[in-house]
Amino acid sequence: MATVGKGLLKANGYEYLCRYAGLDNDGPLVLLLHGFPETSIIWEPLLSKLADLGYRAVAPNQRGYSDGARPEGLEPYSVGVLADDVIGFAEELGCDGKFYLVGHDWGGSVGWAVVNNYPERIQAYVGMSTPYTPAFMYAMMNDEDQKAKSFYIRDFQTPEVPEETMAKDDYAWLRNYWEGFKPEIIDDYLTVFSQKAARTATVNWYRAMFAVKNDFEYKPVELPVTYIWGNQDIALGRLGAEMTAQFMKGYYNFVEVDGGHWLMEFNEEEVSKIIIDHIQKFPME
């Protein structure tokens, strides 16, 4: 198995901690985007597998999660800015053409924005857990199940309180969500979430959802997409997951996994195979 390394990647004026494998390969680039409250460590098994297949695989700790990429305010955490970061990562890695993209949870939302705003740059996309944004927003506003699952998003709009709640009682709120994770993964997450500035920055992703108006509109997706959803997901319900198909106009593969939200922590082998199969189905010309 290929070794996973760690290093710093400069992009869009900031410095991001990245995990990577296969950078000496001559195959296509694959970028992997983590969600909340996680870090790029979730991708280590997949990074290694992709590198063994000849790909160049990179997973950044995204804006707010990296010490060198933590601006103040809400506008720097709007999904359009986060999508711009992804293009910045690719260009800093020497890729000015197409690459493969994978995103989970919030990384999935960022991935959908990249697919929407930069379709000419993406060869194929795998979204995990998070529905296509118009489908998710509809469900959050109209579906009772999704309204209930999204309670924390409403709570996160309050200043200061979420940051304090996460840290209280030795991070009990976070540890509840991380139940069953490997200790080394939790330790890595706490390198970020033990910092108040990091907690504020990561919660600002949620605050920016409503406080910052996007300067783009979501359109139908024509490039190849596989969307993976766990049918026991604690945060993302069935309506948005199934509605996503309405917006897919090209190749689309919806995979319902018998699992929950933490797909890379608990369903890694199954999910990694689905991701690799999708990437290999659409080779670079």
Side-chain angles (χ1 to χ4, degrees), residues 13-113:
Y14 296 102
E15 196 169 65
Y16 300 81
L17 176 69
C18 289
R19 288 176 167 86
Y20 58 85
L23 289 188
D24 292 334
N25 292 340
D26 57 7
L29 176 65
V30 185
L31 287 179
L32 308 165
L33 308 176
H34 66 84
F36 173 92
E38 299 172 296
T39 70
S40 57
I41 197 173
I42 68 169
W43 300 117
E44 285 194 347
L46 182 54
L47 287 167
S48 185
K49 291 174 182 179
L50 288 166
D52 285 343
L53 292 169
Y55 296 98
R56 302 166 61 227
V58 179
N61 275 13
Q62 294 185 81
R63 186 176 289 230
Y65 293 79
S66 286
D67 292 344
R70 197 168 290 151
E72 295 183 358
L74 299 185
E75 290 197 6
Y77 299 98
S78 68
V79 72
V81 173
L82 297 166
D84 293 343
D85 278 348
V86 177
I87 301 303
F89 299 146
E91 292 178 351
E92 288 294 320
L93 290 162
C95 175
D96 57 6
K98 290 189 175 184
F99 57 93
Y100 296 97
L101 186 61
V102 181
H104 172 251
D105 183 71
W106 250 117
S109 293
V110 175
W112 288 121

Side-chain angles (χ1 to χ4, degrees), residues 108-122:
S109 293
V110 175
W112 288 121
V114 176
V115 164
N116 184 77
N117 294 356
Y118 299 97
E120 73 283 357
R121 298 298 303 275
I122 306 303

Side-chain angles (χ1 to χ4, degrees), residues 119-132:
E120 73 283 357
R121 298 298 303 275
I122 306 303
Q123 178 71 5
Y125 177 58
V126 179
M128 297 166 59
S129 299
T130 309
Y132 188 46

Side-chain angles (χ1 to χ4, degrees), residues 14 63 90 95 107 112 115-116 119 121-122 128 140-141 158 167 170 177 189 210 212 222 263 276:
Y14 296 102
R63 186 176 289 230
C95 175
W112 288 121
V115 164
N116 184 77
R121 298 298 303 275
I122 306 303
M128 297 166 59
M140 190 166 64
M141 300 301 175
T158 307
D170 189 30
Y177 284 105
Y189 292 171
F210 302 103
V212 182
E222 298 183 358
L263 295 172
I276 290 168

Side-chain angles (χ1 to χ4, degrees), residues 150-167:
S150 297
F151 74 93
Y152 67 97
I153 296 178
R154 295 187 295 273
D155 290 348
F156 276 8
Q157 305 308 310
T158 307
E160 297 293 334
V161 175
E163 291 93 322
E164 295 171 1
T165 299
M166 281 193 274

